[in-house]
Amino acid sequence: MKHFLLNTTGLTIVFALFVLIFITGCEKDEDAAPDAPTEKVDGIFIINEGAFLNENSSLSYIDKTTGEINNNVFYEANNRPLGDVFQSMKIFNEKAYMVINNSGVIEVIHPETIELITTITGFTSPRYFLPVNETTAYVSDLFAEKIWVVNLSNNSIESEIEFPGGWSESMIKAEGNVFVSAPNANNIYVIDPSSHEIIDNIEVFSQPNSMVTDNNGTIWVLSGGTWDWETGEQVETGGITAINSQTREVNETYSFPQDGISYSKLTINKTSEKLFYIGGGIWSMDITNPELTTEPLIENTGENFYGLGVCPETGNIYVSDAIDFNQRGKIMQFSSQGNKIESFDAGVVPAGFVFQ
Amino acid sequence: MWLMIVAASLFGYSSPDTDLYKNNDTVVMLESVEIRPEKHQIFSGSVKRQSIDHNILNSSFDSDFATVLGTYSPVSIKSYGPGVLSTTSLRGGSSSHTAFVWNGFNLQSPMHAQNDLSLIPVAFTDEIQIQYGGGSAIWGTGAVGGAVLMNNKPDFSSGQQASYHGSASTIGDYHNSIMTKWSDGIFATSLRLFHHNAKNEYRYINTRLPDNPVEKQKHANLEGWGILQETYFKPNNKNIFSVKAWFQQYHRNIPPTLFQNEAQAEQKDDFLRVAAKWQGLFDNTRVDVKTGYFDDYIHYNDYMFTNSKSRSQMQSSEAEVRNYSIKQNIISLGFKHQYLQADVDDYLSKPSEHRYILMASWRWQNKTESLITSLNLRQKFAEEYDVEPTPGIGITYKPYGNIAINANIAKNYRLPTLNDRYWSPGGNPDLMPESGWSQDINFELSDLKLYDETENINTYFGLNHLSVSFYHRKMTNWISWVPGSSGLWSPENILEVRSYGTEANKTLSYNMENITVKTTMFYSWTKSVYEKTGRETDASIGKQLTYIPEHQAGINAKLSVGDYTFFYNHKLTGKRYTTADNSRWLEPYQLADIKIAYYLKTANMKTSFFITAHNIWNRQYEIMQSRPMPLRYFKAGLRIDYK
């Protein structure tokens, strides 16, 4: 006799239960229950960078079950400001690592309660955090010209990797190696995390600022292009580079037109079907049939789009408008087709999203 | 529709024992060699003016302009720390909207249009005047919210004079200055020197750590010195020649913010200021010719990503002819030429510019001097941009001797800075000047004395001064740096700002035998809001500009008993917003200090001893976000005047 769960009826019931759990998705539910849970287990974090030198960065949290948004969760949990320029956040092994670029620290918190566990200090101008194994993480840096190697067991910097590209920015793991973008060097450097040595580099379009991997072993790199500071004109176009993560060869390149627009914040949806990025408006590219579109998915009507995220469950697109970089920004939620759903206020200069 | 409230007030905080020139009060139609009113005193007498009391200047010899203005006036000071960058905001203007005028020369930096008043030593001035309201018709660029005037005056009283001033504080701040003067009635020369060395290891409360510990500031030390030499030559009653040279150097470490673990940034500010003047009197005409050279050097290095040197050189020459022939009228015509050039690491070229300015002024008063009107016109011609003509009109009406009503309407402007135009990346050479009209009205009552019943004239209660003013100003083409589609930030003339408010102050004194009490109370209400920001819907529209407090109030009290004088100052600064949509702010704070002075007079020497307690109530406060200010600290000072 087969187990109850393994026959068709059982499987249907189990499947239905799974569907029910995820049915709330990433929607902000207007029928919010008045007594919202204090534990944050199912929601979206918004990274509010703050205005440079104003020490007004903050962490926002949208609770998926209640639909409530709280723009000051770090301060409320820890009774002190977060720091200056909150650049990025990564949740790993039930801890959230918040990189505070101009305070030179990484705040480690419990993602459910936002309570501070510890602060990792000693960085120069840290940008992104990437765990390379259970006990080690790499931290990229804007000015230090090195990658910091952090020991996650004792939460301290254990060593440094000299970085020939100068500024190290986004990092991903693929095929056991760490790929790091170097915007000023127009290259992606490859580091072997077992030896912390740079083993390869791949040339891409000018100013590579963001990278993602898809389900097919391809690394997608977005480059923003460079401008001549004197004339204010674009001298090199950016583009998207597709790299085979195994061979580390460039599969395909897609060059942006010389349109004076700087592209950034490459994001991929959960099913690895579409890429999204900011370039004035919000653009999308179909991975299954990759080619640059002529029109953006979402037009820019005067906003300063700064942050971009795609909900893994619903595929909805979240975009932030930093307005004048000196006040609270606006978040706009769109369907995956680019239709506006709603908008709401966040903290100062919302720059990114982390989906829990 | 805005009610055009036209107002101006002029008043002085002069103490009875100094003969400060009172504008529009005793203007002489003819000039004598002793009273030589400057152009602004004659033609903008209806503008509200405040002179800092001589007693205050004498006892603040170790201080700087920013500290004195912040204590004794409703001028809003934005300070990054004691002795660190301090700029002013007057009547809701930005820090580039207060002109700094040294002996008639507008020293607003062509590079950044701000004046760091923490660098200006009080020991180097004979007079500090604050001019409230637009003054571009007289001073040119930057006199939008007002102007701070620093004046050196000749002393032709015979003989040799010298003085030494020194002070030391518990935060390791040492200030020494000397002055020597000599005159034989024809020549007068004076030399001043100062040396300032501060460890600035002040205590502050670190509100970023859980138990709010008291910490000691590090990397805030500074050292500076300066020399000011003045020479005057008065061969006869008709002519005065003067040459002044001021050289100064300051090296300051910039202290870390509360979110930084350590700081390495430092800044050097060096300048040379040279001015030469000739004033000649011919029958009914006066001629003024003056020329100046101003060389400013700044080197900022944070040992991380910025190591920048900038140098600007400005040469300025001006001639004015003033005629008194027509009774009850004074007419003036003037011409000014400026040449400036800048050498800044962050520019791609070394810009240089010629500017030409034409000025005309006219003043009329009725026979009883109860009604005075002034009209000033100024037109600047610059190679790189158009400047509209900037007129200013003022009226003073005195119904009775002690009451005055002043009104002003003026057009004011601020030229785009060289940084805004040439900074790489982003500089926009096509920027236009910021400009706008201002209106103000001031009611003033002065010198009322109420004697006691015994008619003992040494005992009285007096209202030295009472003044209430209202102002309004709308500025357009206000420059703001905005991001472009390329991600590059660039300045644009996109903002429109409306500022309006009121200032009130009164000074009372009580005199009895050998006790004098004098109290000044002031209050200002300042609204300065965004009207247009270049974006259709923007949460900052209608909101107060950042770092401009809506409310400020203060008390300056002085009690003299015999040889002792006690000073108490208390200033309240209201909430200051740190984001354009007013979603974040710094809490209001109060700052008070006490000073006790003891004066010892001997034959030809006057020695004064001072003890000061700063921040006597030990309040923790921030003027700029994340920059802690000192808790209570003490200072002892000594001043020796020899005549």
Side-chain angles (χ1 to χ4, degrees):
Chain A
M1 169 87 163
K2 271 196 194 156
H3 192 277
F4 155 77
L5 279 174
L6 289 176
N7 66 31
T8 326
T9 328
L11 280 170
T12 316
I13 294 170
V14 171
F15 179 73
L17 279 171
F18 267 99
V19 169
L20 274 169
I21 289 170
F22 289 113
I23 208 163
T24 46
C26 300
E27 305 301 308
K28 262 187 68 184
D29 191 352
E30 296 304 318
D31 307 314
D35 47 335
T38 50
E39 290 249 316
K40 291 149 177 66
V41 290
D42 191 22
I44 309 171
F45 287 105
I46 304 176
I47 295 168
N48 300 302
E49 212 172 86
F52 181 52
L53 288 181
N54 276 17
E55 206 191 357
N56 53 13
S57 66
S58 63
L59 182 65
S60 301
Y61 184 74
I62 307 172
D63 189 314
K64 279 188 216 160
T65 44
T66 64
E68 275 176 20
I69 177 165
N70 181 331
N71 286 311
N72 232 1
V73 294
F74 184 87
Y75 190 93
E76 282 173 10
N78 300 294
N79 215 21
R80 70 156 168 89
L82 180 52
D84 198 51
V85 185
F86 174 19
Q87 179 69 35
S88 64
M89 181 166 89
K90 190 89 167 182
I91 302 180
F92 177 68
N93 275 354
E94 287 159 23
K95 295 200 189 78
Y97 296 84
M98 306 166 72
V99 183
I100 319 296
N101 170 258
N102 201 36
S103 295
V105 302
I106 294 183
E107 306 282 11
V108 188
I109 60 166
H110 287 293
E112 304 89 36
T113 60
I114 320 294
E115 273 161 21
L116 186 68
I117 300 171
T118 186
T119 305
I120 312 176
T121 60
F123 306 97
T124 302
S125 45
R127 302 285 288 178
Y128 295 92
F129 173 94
L130 178 74
V132 299
N133 58 45
E134 289 299 306
T135 54
T136 317
Y138 285 174
V139 177
S140 59
D141 199 290
L142 180 55
F143 296 115
E145 297 186 2
K146 53 180 109 162
I147 308 250
W148 310 94
V149 182
V150 174
N151 181 326
L152 296 178
S153 315
N154 60 24
N155 286 312
S156 64
I157 298 175
E158 95 186 349
S159 66
E160 301 154 9
I161 305 171
E162 289 297 316
F163 194 69
W167 170 15
S168 50
E169 184 73 343
S170 67
M171 299 184 288
I172 49 147
K173 263 183 78 175
E175 295 292 316
N177 288 321
V178 176
F179 292 73
V180 184
S181 74
N184 285 345
N186 304 341
N187 260 275
I188 309 298
Y189 286 85
V190 189
I191 303 177
D192 177 354
S194 55
S195 62
H196 300 321
E197 272 170 23
I198 298 176
I199 56 175
D200 200 357
N201 64 286
I202 307 148
E203 194 171 334
V204 292
F205 290 102
S206 170
Q207 288 278 311
N209 53 54
S210 42
M211 285 193 295
V212 295
T213 43
D214 66 14
N215 293 347
N216 301 321
T218 308
I219 299 172
W220 299 86
V221 181
L222 175 70
S223 298
T226 36
W227 273 253
D228 179 292
W229 285 7
E230 181 172 356
T231 60
E233 274 168 22
Q234 189 172 17
V235 294
E236 278 173 51
T237 54
I240 298 178
T241 313
I243 299 171
N244 182 317
S245 56
Q246 220 173 15
T247 65
R248 304 200 285 272
E249 299 287 317
V250 173
N251 280 350
E252 208 51 74
T253 59
Y254 308 87
S255 182
F256 290 136
Q258 184 121 8
D259 51 12
I261 298 176
S262 176
Y263 295 87
S264 62
K265 302 278 165 75
L266 185 68
T267 317
I268 193 166
N269 70 354
K270 176 119 192 240
T271 55
S272 276
E273 284 167 0
K274 276 191 163 19
L275 291 171
F276 299 92
Y277 50 97
I278 301 178
I282 309 297
W283 299 76
S284 72
M285 181 156 108
D286 200 341
I287 290 181
T288 52
N289 185 15
E291 61 175 10
L292 293 179
T293 56
T294 49
E295 293 296 320
L297 178 67
I298 298 163
E299 292 276 350
N300 181 308
T301 60
E303 298 91 351
N304 274 320
F305 290 137
Y306 195 60
L308 177 61
V310 182
C311 178
E313 269 122 59
T314 60
N316 284 347
I317 303 167
Y318 288 76
V319 185
S320 71
D321 176 8
I323 311 186
D324 64 357
F325 288 85
N326 194 25
Q327 60 178 274
R328 296 180 58 190
K330 273 198 155 32
I331 309 295
M332 284 166 270
Q333 189 190 3
F334 297 87
S335 71
S336 51
Q337 314 306 317
N339 299 314
K340 183 138 179 218
I341 299 174
E342 62 169 350
S343 71
F344 47 92
D345 293 334
V348 179
V349 190
F353 304 87
V354 176
F355 299 91
Q356 213 175 15
Chain B
M1 195 52 211
W2 272 105
L3 182 67
M4 291 261 286
I5 318 170
V6 189
S9 111
L10 73 94
F11 65 97
Y13 279 159
S14 48
S15 65
D17 44 88
T18 57
D19 252 333
L20 276 177
Y21 181 77
K22 270 195 168 179
N23 313 330
N24 273 3
D25 213 7
T26 54
V27 164
V28 285
M29 298 305 284
L30 290 170
E31 302 196 17
S32 74
V33 82
E34 294 310 326
I35 302 175
R36 285 181 167 246
E38 293 302 317
K39 180 177 174 188
H40 68 272
Q41 291 167 308
I42 299 217
F43 295 106
S44 59
S46 55
V47 172
K48 173 172 159 178
R49 236 174 239 114
Q50 171 187 354
S51 284
I52 303 290
D53 201 296
H54 259 212
N55 282 333
I56 296 169
L57 290 186
N58 284 346
S59 63
S60 308
F61 50 80
D62 55 351
S63 191
D64 56 83
F65 270 52
T67 307
V68 167
L69 291 178
T71 308
Y72 296 98
S73 78
V75 172
S76 171
I77 304 286
K78 275 167 62 171
S79 170
Y80 285 71
V84 194
L85 173 66
S86 302
T87 55
T88 56
S89 166
L90 257 174
R91 291 197 165 172
S94 72
S95 42
S96 66
H97 288 162
T98 307
F100 177 67
V101 181
W102 178 58
N103 292 315
F105 289 95
N106 184 343
L107 291 190
Q108 196 172 63
S109 161
M111 289 188 294
H112 48 68
Q114 298 186 11
N115 285 100
D116 183 352
L117 293 187
S118 69
L119 291 173
I120 313 294
V122 174
F124 273 18
T125 190
D126 295 314
E127 180 177 72
I128 300 180
Q129 265 202 357
I130 306 165
Q131 196 172 314
Y132 291 80
S136 287
I138 297 277
W139 304 120
T141 179
V144 170
V148 174
L149 278 60
M150 172 182 181
N151 291 319
N152 299 111
K153 295 182 175 321
D155 184 352
F156 285 104
S157 57
S158 295
Q160 176 85 52
Q161 294 174 55
S163 62
Y164 162 77
H165 337 91
S167 78
S169 79
T170 54
I171 59 172
D173 188 315
Y174 302 93
H175 199 283
N176 290 283
S177 57
I178 59 169
M179 177 184 69
T180 98
K181 279 205 272 200
W182 172 85
S183 175
D184 64 357
I186 301 211
F187 280 97
T189 169
S190 116
L191 177 70
R192 295 182 230 219
L193 270 166
F194 84 86
H195 180 253
H196 185 194
N197 192 323
K199 287 206 204 82
N200 272 345
E201 285 168 350
Y202 56 88
R203 294 176 313 124
Y204 65 92
I205 296 178
N206 190 337
T207 49
R208 305 299 187 261
L209 294 177
D211 40 345
N212 284 357
V214 173
E215 294 182 346
K216 242 189 185 172
Q217 186 61 286
K218 16 179 199 28
H219 196 83
N221 43 331
L222 57 85
E223 185 169 3
W225 79 278
I227 179 169
L228 171 62
Q229 156 75 48
E230 302 159 66
T231 305
Y232 301 89
F233 174 50
K234 187 186 58 171
N236 50 46
N237 275 351
K238 305 274 181 200
N239 293 279
I240 296 187
F241 299 85
S242 70
V243 180
K244 302 178 176 95
W246 176 11
F247 179 72
Q248 188 172 300
Q249 291 187 303
Y250 250 105
H251 187 160
R252 302 179 287 186
N253 280 339
I254 317 286
T257 56
L258 284 173
F259 55 80
Q260 290 171 320
N261 260 335
E262 53 165 42
Q264 291 171 297
E266 56 182 15
Q267 180 164 314
K268 275 176 83 34
D269 289 83
D270 300 342
F271 59 73
L272 171 66
R273 294 168 178 170
V274 183
K277 248 196 234 195
W278 165 56
Q279 287 172 6
L281 275 179
F282 307 92
D283 288 341
N284 278 329
T285 307
R286 167 172 155 171
V287 177
D288 278 63
V289 179
K290 62 183 187 221
T291 183
Y293 171 71
F294 310 100
D295 197 331
D296 278 78
Y297 173 72
I298 299 179
H299 182 187
Y300 174 78
N301 192 348
D302 66 6
Y303 296 97
M304 256 229 300
F305 45 93
T306 311
N307 182 357
S308 163
K309 298 192 191 82
S310 349
R311 183 174 181 199
S312 75
Q313 295 166 287
M314 187 160 72
Q315 199 283 312
S316 181
S317 303
E318 191 175 328
E320 186 212 343
V321 175
R322 208 184 298 173
N323 186 279
Y324 296 79
S325 307
I326 310 169
K327 261 176 142 185
Q328 291 163 243
N329 286 275
I330 310 179
I331 296 175
S332 152
L333 284 173
F335 173 74
K336 180 167 168 180
H337 167 255
Q338 266 185 336
Y339 174 68
L340 53 96
Q341 67 180 41
D343 184 356
V344 178
D345 278 354
D346 302 272
Y347 300 175
L348 292 165
S349 60
K350 292 194 190 149
S352 67
E353 246 175 64
H354 284 274
R355 297 172 182 172
Y356 309 90
I357 299 116
L358 282 177
M359 301 167 279
S361 299
W362 168 59
R363 171 188 161 125
W364 174 88
Q365 63 186 54
N366 67 2
K367 292 211 176 76
T368 54
E369 283 184 47
S370 62
L371 182 64
I372 304 166
T373 61
S374 306
L375 171 65
N376 296 292
L377 286 167
R378 189 182 166 103
Q379 172 72 65
K380 170 171 275 183
F381 301 94
E383 295 169 311
E384 310 288 326
Y385 37 73
D386 290 326
V387 189
E388 289 154 16
T390 48
I393 301 173
I395 299 178
T396 302
Y397 174 52
K398 286 193 270 210
Y400 304 106
N402 291 353
I403 300 177
I405 304 171
N406 294 279
N408 292 288
I409 297 177
K411 179 97 188 280
N412 308 289
Y413 70 98
R414 193 219 95 193
L415 296 173
T417 62
L418 294 179
N419 280 2
D420 285 337
R421 288 166 58 211
Y422 297 110
W423 195 269
S424 176
N428 179 358
D430 299 325
L431 282 173
M432 291 187 298
E434 303 176 342
S435 66
W437 286 90
S438 65
Q439 308 86 24
D440 58 59
I441 190 166
N442 174 264
F443 303 92
E444 188 192 321
L445 180 60
S446 33
D447 283 335
L448 280 185
K449 282 199 179 98
L450 300 159
Y451 293 96
D452 76 351
E453 282 156 9
T454 67
E455 302 233 349
N456 178 353
I457 56 163
N458 283 329
T459 303
Y460 64 86
F461 172 74
L463 172 74
N464 291 40
H465 207 95
L466 170 67
S467 131
V468 179
S469 355
F470 303 92
Y471 67 90
H472 169 266
R473 182 179 70 248
K474 169 97 184 274
M475 289 295 281
T476 55
N477 283 331
W478 187 306
I479 295 167
S480 180
W481 283 66
V482 293
S485 61
S486 62
L488 274 183
W489 287 65
S490 208
E492 304 281 343
N493 293 98
I494 50 163
L495 298 178
E496 277 184 24
V497 175
R498 186 184 298 273
S499 312
Y500 52 95
T502 176
E503 290 139 7
N505 60 72
K506 76 167 185 272
T507 304
L508 301 169
S509 51
Y510 180 69
N511 236 39
M512 189 184 78
E513 296 303 316
N514 65 339
I515 297 181
T516 335
V517 181
K518 186 168 166 193
T519 321
T520 300
M521 295 192 277
F522 58 86
Y523 168 72
S524 73
W525 174 61
T526 311
K527 287 290 287 178
S528 198
V529 298
Y530 296 100
E531 287 222 324
K532 283 212 184 94
T533 62
R535 284 179 59 114
E536 293 278 317
T537 48
D538 186 337
S540 59
I541 303 233
K543 301 285 191 331
Q544 181 90 341
L545 265 58
T546 57
Y547 286 108
I548 296 182
E550 198 175 322
H551 302 283
Q552 286 188 98
I555 292 181
N556 307 118
K558 187 174 88 166
L559 163 67
S560 299
V561 183
D563 292 329
Y564 286 89
T565 304
F566 302 86
F567 302 84
Y568 178 73
N569 298 306
H570 194 121
K571 186 160 180 196
L572 197 151
T573 306
K575 199 191 254 194
R576 289 136 300 135
Y577 295 104
T578 55
T579 51
D581 61 347
N582 293 175
S583 54
R584 288 182 177 248
W585 58 83
L586 290 171
E587 292 298 322
Y589 67 92
Q590 297 184 45
L591 195 56
D593 57 73
I594 283 185
K595 185 183 289 201
I596 303 171
Y598 173 67
Y599 303 100
L600 185 63
K601 282 192 187 75
T602 53
N604 30 10
M605 242 174 49
K606 179 171 155 187
T607 312
S608 325
F609 300 90
F610 302 91
I611 292 183
T612 316
H614 287 275
N615 193 359
I616 181 120
W617 307 118
N618 215 17
R619 297 280 168 93
Q620 189 269 335
Y621 65 106
E622 282 169 42
I623 300 182
M624 300 297 293
Q625 172 74 45
S626 315
R627 295 182 191 268
M629 298 299 278
L631 293 171
R632 178 172 52 224
Y633 67 95
F634 300 90
K635 208 187 261 198
L638 164 71
R639 186 194 165 106
I640 305 174
D641 292 285
Y642 168 80
K643 201 152 177 159

